[in-house]
């Protein structure tokens, strides 16, 4: 009877092993990603983050602004004493360069009499201005922040994908472990039942004796253990369904994991972003120290704005008059003062030139100097904090990398020992078959040896899944 029971157990084991060929692991992972709402959220989050970065990188194009006024003036209100229409058109073109070059084309006023005497006047002009900044106005800081943002987005995305894959590997490993434990529990139960049957047949114990009760108690413990494993297996399969969107149908071929982890002296992305954060803190301090407070939190670096203009003034009335105007100006702003100069030349139609020179300047004190000192001290503290964070990030990377290397080595050693055990189990089975053929051992002993050899497939699957989890840990530390 015991032989039949154990043979039935082996049949169950082989049936379970056959289910392991249902689908290869890569197919399961790919299908799980397609079914998972978690992956969909990860992808959408990545797309939104990429759009945010793209908006920050969009280059400005040439700006064109057109404006103008059209008004009616009663004759009593204009010098000509005639009802007139006045037009003031303007076109401003801003070029997308560092100096924000502006070209302005327009007229202060174009006036036309509404009577038939052809009284009219116009003041068209063309002007250009360009600003030169002496120092960084924040471009370096923006570049550092953008680089850090890109790294963090990519790292977060890849880490979440690796975590999702590892969760599948871990859940499958958990299910396979429960299946293997369930078969072992069933084997122990059958062996215990065989012991009880043999003890009664051989009359080494009697029903109701203390020995018999102890044997029954051990059997009850084994059955309770089996029931516990069954419940855990059902729960693990339900969680697998929730995680992957698929019913558990076993796992087939599993690719070999790449465990060739190499320690990076510069650290992983976390360390690099910490280094960028330190550079950002330094740049914020440097920018604050060389910039001037204008109003509130608005700051600027020293700058020089230069420009020039040309225009004419034409009037056709009782007599025609024509004047030309040429102008150039420059304005320098730095710290607490501004200074500027402009030169204008008025040229009449007769060739007479009337030059004019204007010099301007302003100065203001800094009413927030005490606050500025505290703000600079705060920025200096930020540098110190960022430096400590960088050192801690590098230390954490070294610890994690060392732990991973130790875990990989331990896994490789355990796998080598397991393969030796697998060879040993096969040898035991071969020897058992030979001994059974000679009548030296029972069928039960042969079946136990066969079961041990077959369960090796479960253990090999578990080791392969553990290796894939280690591979994802290595990938995360090499981002």
């Amino acid at each position: 009877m015991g032989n039949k029971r154990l043979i039935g157990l082996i049949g169950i084991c082989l049936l379970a092993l056959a289910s392991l060929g249902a689908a290869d692991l890569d197919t399961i992972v790919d299908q799980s990603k397609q079914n998972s709402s978690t992956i969909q959220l990860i992808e959408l989050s990545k797309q939104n983050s990429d759009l945010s970065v793209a908006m920050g990188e969009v280059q400005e194009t040439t700006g064109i602004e057109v404006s103008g006024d059209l008004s009616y003036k009663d004759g009593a209100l204009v010098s000509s004493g005639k009802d007139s229409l006045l037009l003031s058109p303007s076109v401003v073109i801003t070029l997308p360069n560092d100096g924000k070059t502006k070209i302005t084309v327009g007229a202060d006023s174009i006036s036309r009499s509404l009577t038939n005497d052809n009284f009219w006047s116009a003041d068209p002009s063309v002007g250009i201005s360009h600003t030169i900044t002496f120092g960084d106005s924040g471009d370096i800081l923006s570049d550092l922040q953008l680089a850090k943002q890109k790294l963090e987005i990519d790292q977060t995305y890849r880490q979440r994908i690796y975590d999702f894959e590892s969760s599948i590997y871990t859940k499958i490993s958990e299910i396979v472990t429960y299946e293997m434990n369930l078969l072992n529990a069933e084997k122990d139960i059958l062996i215990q039942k065989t012991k009880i049957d043999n003890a009664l047949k051989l009359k080494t114990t009697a029903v109701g004796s203390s020995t018999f009760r102890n044997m029954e108690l051990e059997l009850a413990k084994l059955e309770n253990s089996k029931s516990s494993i069954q419940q855990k297996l059902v729960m693990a399969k339900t969680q697998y369904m929730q995680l992957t969107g698929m019913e558990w149908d076993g796992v087939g071929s599993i690719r070999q994991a790449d465990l060739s982890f190499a320690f990076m002296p510069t650290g992983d992305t976390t360390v690099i972003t910490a280094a960028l954060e330190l550079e950002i803190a330094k740049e914020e301090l440097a920018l604050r120290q060389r910039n001037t407070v204008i109003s509130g939190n608005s700051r600027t670096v020293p700058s020089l704005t230069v420009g020039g203009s040309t225009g004419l003034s034409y009037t056709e009335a009782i007599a025609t008059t024509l004047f030309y105007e040429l102008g150039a100006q420059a304005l320098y702003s730095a710290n607490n003062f501004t200074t500027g100069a402009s030169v204008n030349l008025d040229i009449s139609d007769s060739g007479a030139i009337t030059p004019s020179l204007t010099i301007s300047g302003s100065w203001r004190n800094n009413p927030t100097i005490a606050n500025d000192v505290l703000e600079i001290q705060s920025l200096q503290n930020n540098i110190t904090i960022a430096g400590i964070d960088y050192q801690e990030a590098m230390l954490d990377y070294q610890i994690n990398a060392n732990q991973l290397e130790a875990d990989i080595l331990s896994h490789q050693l355990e796998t080598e020992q397991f393969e030796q055990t697998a060879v040993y189990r096969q040898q035991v089975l071969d020897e058992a078959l030979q001994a059974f053929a000679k009548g030296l051992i029972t069928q039960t002993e042969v079946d136990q040896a066969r079961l041990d050899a077959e369960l090796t497939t479960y253990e090999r699957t578990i080791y392969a899944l553990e290796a894939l989890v280690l591979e994802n840990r290595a990938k995360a530390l090499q981002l």
Side-chain angles (χ1 to χ4, degrees):
M1 181 178 179
N3 292 345
K4 294 180 180 178
R5 286 174 176 168
L6 197 53
I7 292 173
L9 173 61
I10 293 176
I12 295 173
C13 179
L14 293 175
L15 180 61
L17 288 173
S19 69
L20 293 178
D24 62 74
L25 183 61
D26 288 341
T27 300
I28 291 175
V29 172
D30 292 340
Q31 188 64 43
S32 299
K33 289 179 179 179
Q34 295 177 15
N35 297 337
S36 174
S37 58
T38 299
I39 292 296
Q40 293 177 8
L41 290 175
I42 292 174
E43 295 291 348
L44 288 174
S45 177
K46 175 68 161 53
Q47 291 176 12
N48 287 337
S49 298
D50 288 341
L51 288 174
S52 177
V53 170
M55 287 188 290
E57 293 182 307
V58 171
Q59 298 294 327
E60 293 186 9
T61 58
T62 300
I64 301 176
E65 179 182 353
V66 180
S67 61
D69 296 325
L70 177 63
S71 60
Y72 166 79
K73 294 293 184 179
D74 186 88
L77 301 177
V78 296
S79 59
S80 64
K82 301 178 182 296
D83 296 344
S84 304
L85 287 177
L86 282 79
L87 176 64
S88 301
S90 176
V91 177
V92 180
I93 302 174
T94 304
L95 303 181
N97 52 29
D98 293 337
K100 301 296 183 184
T101 302
K102 287 187 177 182
I103 301 173
T104 303
V105 180
D108 292 340
S109 175
I110 299 176
S111 176
R112 179 75 167 96
S113 172
L114 296 179
T115 62
N116 295 325
D117 48 17
N118 294 325
F119 278 36
W120 70 283
S121 64
D123 300 293
S125 63
V126 177
I128 185 171
S129 66
H130 183 83
T131 300
I132 303 170
T133 55
F134 300 97
D136 174 36
S137 59
D139 291 340
I140 295 178
L141 178 61
S142 297
D143 292 341
L144 289 171
Q145 292 172 334
L146 185 61
K148 177 174 175 287
Q149 184 182 10
K150 286 182 176 180
L151 286 174
E152 289 176 334
I153 290 172
D154 186 66
Q155 181 193 33
T156 300
Y157 171 74
R158 292 180 180 272
Q159 182 65 66
R160 295 176 71 181
I161 295 295
Y162 294 152
D163 289 343
F164 180 80
E165 293 175 351
S166 295
S167 66
I168 296 177
Y169 302 152
T170 302
K171 186 55 62 180
I172 293 177
S173 177
E174 181 182 349
I175 292 174
V176 173
T177 299
Y178 286 143
E179 289 180 339
M180 183 177 65
N181 292 342
L182 185 60
L183 290 171
N184 279 320
E186 187 68 32
K187 179 193 73 172
D188 294 338
I189 289 173
L190 292 177
I191 290 174
Q192 185 65 16
K193 287 181 178 180
T194 301
K195 287 181 179 179
I196 295 175
D197 289 343
N198 291 338
L200 292 175
K201 289 177 181 179
L202 297 174
K203 301 184 183 303
T204 57
T205 186
V207 176
S209 65
S210 59
T211 303
F212 181 79
R213 288 197 301 270
N214 286 336
M215 295 175 72
E216 283 192 322
L217 179 60
E218 181 63 26
L219 178 60
K221 290 180 180 179
L222 292 173
E223 289 177 339
N224 286 336
S225 176
K226 173 188 173 182
S227 176
S228 175
I229 294 172
Q230 287 175 327
Q231 294 176 30
K232 292 178 180 179
L233 177 59
V234 171
M235 181 181 66
K237 288 181 178 180
T238 301
Q239 293 172 345
Y240 174 84
M241 173 65 181
Q242 296 170 346
L243 179 63
T244 65
M246 297 181 292
E247 294 285 350
W248 170 251
D249 191 30
V251 59
S253 62
I254 301 176
R255 66 177 178 83
Q256 185 176 2
D258 179 9
L259 299 181
S260 56
F261 173 74
F263 180 86
M264 297 186 295
T266 57
D268 61 355
T269 300
T270 301
V271 178
I272 295 175
T273 54
L276 285 174
E277 188 62 38
L278 175 58
E279 294 303 315
I280 288 172
K282 292 179 179 178
E283 183 60 24
E284 285 178 339
L285 175 62
L287 194 62
R288 178 62 185 87
Q289 287 176 329
R290 64 176 174 260
N291 286 358
T292 303
V293 175
I294 300 300
S295 61
N297 293 324
S298 176
R299 298 181 175 88
T300 185
V301 294
S303 63
L304 174 65
T305 301
V306 294
S309 62
T310 181
L312 60 85
S313 177
Y314 178 86
T315 302
E316 183 175 332
I318 299 173
T320 299
T321 58
L322 177 64
F323 291 92
Y324 301 93
E325 296 180 358
L326 296 175
Q329 58 277 341
L331 179 67
Y332 180 80
S333 299
N335 296 327
N336 298 331
F337 72 92
T338 60
T339 182
S342 63
V343 177
N344 290 289
L345 297 177
D346 293 334
I347 306 172
S348 68
D349 53 1
S350 63
I353 299 176
T354 304
S356 64
L357 172 65
T358 303
I359 297 176
S360 62
S362 66
W363 175 89
R364 60 183 176 278
N365 70 334
N366 185 2
T368 62
I369 186 170
N371 181 72
D372 293 346
V373 172
L374 294 176
E375 184 178 351
I376 289 176
Q377 181 62 51
S378 176
L379 292 174
Q380 290 173 336
N381 291 340
N382 289 343
I383 293 177
T384 303
I385 294 172
I388 295 173
D389 289 342
Y390 169 72
Q391 294 174 357
E392 290 183 347
M394 177 58 78
L395 179 60
D396 288 342
Y397 171 76
Q398 292 173 341
I399 293 174
N400 292 332
N402 291 340
Q403 183 62 53
L404 177 60
E405 289 174 335
D407 292 343
I408 289 175
L409 178 59
S410 176
H411 174 80
Q412 291 172 336
L413 294 175
E414 290 177 6
T415 302
E416 290 177 2
Q417 184 177 0
F418 162 73
E419 292 298 339
Q420 294 173 357
T421 302
V423 172
Y424 169 74
R425 290 176 181 174
Q426 186 60 46
Q427 291 174 348
V428 170
L429 175 59
D430 294 340
E431 292 174 357
L433 290 173
Q434 295 174 5
F436 179 76
K438 297 176 182 179
L440 300 177
I441 61 175
T442 64
Q443 179 67 46
T444 299
E445 293 173 295
V446 174
D447 292 339
Q448 289 177 2
R450 180 178 287 111
L451 180 61
D452 290 338
E454 295 295 348
L455 288 177
T456 299
T457 303
Y458 284 88
E459 296 178 70
R460 185 173 286 112
T461 297
I462 293 171
Y463 277 111
L465 292 167
E466 290 176 350
L468 290 174
V469 174
L470 289 173
E471 179 187 72
N472 278 350
R473 284 177 55 189
K475 289 180 181 178
L477 286 178
Q478 291 174 320
L479 286 176

